[in-house]
Amino acid sequence: MRKVIVSMFLTLDGVMEEPQNWSFPFWNDEIAKFKLDELFSSDALLLGRVTYQGFAQAWPGRTEEEGYADRINGLPKYVVSTTLDEPLEWSNSTLIKGNVAEECRS
Amino acid sequence: MAEGRVLVDISVSLDGFITGPNDGVDLPLGEGGDRLHEWLYDLVSWRDRHGLTGGRSDSDAEILDEAFETVGAVVMGRRMFDVAEGPWGNDPPFHMPVFVLTHEGREPLVKDGGTTFTFVTDGIESALEQARAAAGGKDVSVAGGAEAIQQYLKAGLLDQIQIHLVPILLGDGRRLFDDLDTGQTQLESTRVIESPGVTHLRFRVVK
């Protein structure tokens, strides 16, 4: 089985919420390459509902030279939520309603 | 004389704790909190400070030496003093003047090895002023605990924060950056040194 990786933008005092509000001033080419390599070395994304909804608004239809948008739009996505219903609108998204550990193993 | 800087130099878990849960006089670093200081115990300079011989001299040891060399006086909170006074014994590892923030005045305490504890009842700025005077141009270190560090950070009195980031999730305990209520504080990353057991992160506080 492959590894499950958590990769987060995090402030020194431990906040990871709403990175679009504070992380952009720290963005640079090195981070861009890291995130790009990370995405291309992953086979699937595991998301909570809030992150899914944010991403599902931001990514579909986008495309750029590096291929990040195409890759994230194309990857299988597994969304953990008890309140969302299938079908999920973002391409290749599957809902996980419960038994998160079991579903991730299979 | 040039004024030294005001520093914080402290070991922190990946989830931001400087002790495990249920810390107190019987358990100064809380449950599991000793893990935060494990990177120090084998180092020549730490062992020397604690009356032991031998040990490793590597980049971790250099970082610790550097911290001892640049600092001329220490400020700490009363709680830290209370929980650690016993374990420190007659020869606490500071070997320099220490100023303790407290609401109850008491006579200064002179220990072996050059460590003196002076109890300051009139606030953090007074303690810093006294520490600066005693430091003779060297840096002043705010040793802890978390509340004392937060007070100095909130008052805009810190110049540098060095975090020794230890790869453990303690889950609970005393959080270093709690109750700040200051909005954002901008930091400039000035140095990162990776060691096998700990990552040393240094930041300048942007004022």
Side-chain angles (χ1 to χ4, degrees):
Chain A
M1 195 173 123
R2 303 226 22 210
K3 288 183 286 188
V4 179
I5 298 170
V6 171
S7 172
M8 284 286 154
F9 292 99
L10 193 69
T11 67
L12 190 61
D13 53 348
V15 175
M16 48 75 78
E17 198 174 8
E18 308 275 0
Q20 70 276 13
N21 293 342
W22 50 264
S23 71
F24 291 164
F26 303 95
W27 187 262
N28 59 33
D29 291 349
E30 197 183 341
I31 297 175
K33 181 170 186 328
F34 180 93
K35 297 304 287 182
L36 190 68
D37 290 349
E38 179 183 77
L39 190 70
F40 274 85
S41 66
S42 303
D43 299 322
L45 297 181
L46 188 58
L47 313 163
R49 177 186 55 84
V50 174
T51 306
Y52 168 78
Q53 286 176 327
F55 281 14
Q57 286 223 320
W59 289 109
R62 269 168 72 169
T63 183
E64 86 302 280
E65 204 177 317
E66 292 76 20
Y68 191 97
D70 288 341
R71 175 76 181 177
I72 201 168
N73 284 324
L75 274 180
K77 291 164 279 281
Y78 298 92
V79 183
V80 181
S81 169
T82 54
T83 54
L84 290 177
D85 289 309
E86 298 214 275
L88 296 173
E89 60 192 77
W90 195 13
S91 54
N92 294 333
S93 298
T94 306
L95 192 60
I96 298 179
K97 280 265 186 194
N99 275 328
V100 179
E102 278 303 307
E103 294 282 345
C104 291
R105 265 184 217 111
S106 57
Chain B
M1 192 186 310
E3 247 186 12
R5 298 159 305 168
V6 184
L7 318 177
V8 165
D9 195 284
I10 195 159
S11 298
V12 183
S13 69
L14 184 59
D15 50 351
F17 295 104
I18 59 168
T19 73
N22 301 316
D23 63 322
V25 174
D26 296 330
L27 203 60
L29 290 170
E31 292 163 22
D34 278 342
R35 172 68 186 86
L36 295 176
H37 291 191
E38 241 169 47
W39 68 276
L40 293 160
Y41 299 152
D42 283 340
L43 305 180
V44 171
S45 34
W46 190 91
R47 295 178 67 82
D48 185 48
R49 287 258 158 180
H50 291 78
L52 304 165
T53 54
R56 279 192 295 135
S57 54
D58 54 12
S59 61
D60 288 342
E62 279 169 34
I63 284 164
L64 186 62
D65 279 339
E66 185 180 67
F68 283 135
E69 277 160 20
T70 66
V71 172
V74 172
V75 175
M76 72 177 59
R78 164 68 191 283
R79 223 181 140 274
M80 176 174 175
F81 173 79
D82 282 349
V83 300
E85 186 189 6
W88 284 330
N90 289 325
D91 185 6
F94 302 100
H95 304 170
M96 62 181 72
V98 179
F99 296 85
V100 182
L101 304 164
T102 176
H103 294 295
E104 294 162 43
R106 60 183 273 191
E107 289 300 305
L109 205 56
V110 178
K111 298 280 191 175
D112 295 345
T115 302
T116 57
F117 293 102
T118 303
F119 298 87
V120 180
T121 56
D122 54 350
I124 62 169
E125 287 175 17
S126 168
L128 179 56
E129 205 172 296
Q130 294 180 51
R132 275 194 200 281
K138 285 185 154 187
D139 296 334
V140 172
S141 170
V142 181
E147 280 174 39
I149 292 169
Q150 288 154 15
Q151 286 182 50
Y152 279 101
L153 190 55
K154 277 196 262 196
L157 295 169
L158 292 185
D159 299 306
Q160 180 180 295
I161 299 172
Q162 179 156 273
I163 302 284
H164 309 290
L165 191 65
V166 179
I168 183 177
L169 299 172
L170 284 173
D172 197 2
R174 287 186 189 269
R175 237 178 239 290
L176 176 56
F177 296 114
D178 223 347
D179 302 318
L180 286 176
D181 305 324
T182 45
Q184 293 189 3
T185 301
Q186 297 296 327
L187 305 170
E188 181 194 0
S189 174
T190 53
R191 190 175 78 174
V192 177
I193 297 177
E194 286 182 55
S195 297
V198 58
T199 306
H200 310 279
L201 306 169
R202 182 182 278 185
F203 302 93
R204 184 176 70 83
V205 181
V206 178
K207 295 181 184 177

